[in-house]
Amino acid sequence: MSDQVVLTTDTVPDAVDETPPSAKLVLTVLAHEGSLTQSRLAEETMLPARTVRYALTQLEEHDLVTSQISFADARQQIYSLNDDLFAAAERRASRS
C-alpha cells in the first residue's frame, strides 16, 4: 500500500476481531510501514519468526493481507494489506 492506513475500530474490517493479538500487531506494522517480508516483520514487531509466520497465516486466512514473491529475492514473500478490503471498510466508516 502506498499510503499509510489509519487503523481505528471504525476503519478495520470485522475479520480483524477474529485474529490473535500477534496478528493485530503485524497488521498495525504493515499499515504503518507498508509492504514487508516476514523477516522484516519479525524485526519490526520484535516477535519470534514462528509467531510472525502464524500471524501471517491467520491474516491470510481472513483475507486481510496479500502476499507476492519478492522480485529482489524469489525465496521471500512480500506481505501487504489487502487494499480492497481496507478501502471497503473505510468507505463504510465514512458513510456512518
Side-chain angles (χ1 to χ4, degrees):
M1 221 174 195
S2 58
D3 296 331
Q4 187 176 6
V5 175
V6 177
L7 300 178
T8 67
T9 54
D10 294 328
T11 61
V12 295
D14 294 335
V16 172
D17 294 338
E18 301 169 19
T19 61
S22 59
K24 290 177 178 95
L25 176 59
V26 168
L27 201 63
T28 301
V29 170
L30 287 173
H32 287 278
E33 300 294 325
S35 302
L36 296 171
T37 62
Q38 179 182 324
S39 59
R40 187 79 174 115
L41 281 164
E43 289 175 22
E44 292 292 324
T45 60
M46 293 190 269
L47 293 171
R50 182 177 180 185
T51 303
V52 172
R53 191 168 41 251
Y54 176 75
L56 288 168
T57 299
Q58 294 297 307
L59 292 169
E60 283 186 307
E61 285 177 4
H62 288 90
D63 203 27
L64 294 164
V65 297
T66 59
S67 64
Q68 62 183 12
I69 295 175
S70 169
F71 292 116
D73 184 351
R75 297 170 295 176
Q76 294 187 10
Q77 297 276 341
I78 304 289
Y79 295 91
S80 307
L81 294 181
N82 181 337
D83 291 334
D84 297 334
L85 195 62
F86 281 85
E90 286 185 48
R91 282 192 302 273
R92 264 195 328 271
S94 66
R95 281 190 227 133
S96 301

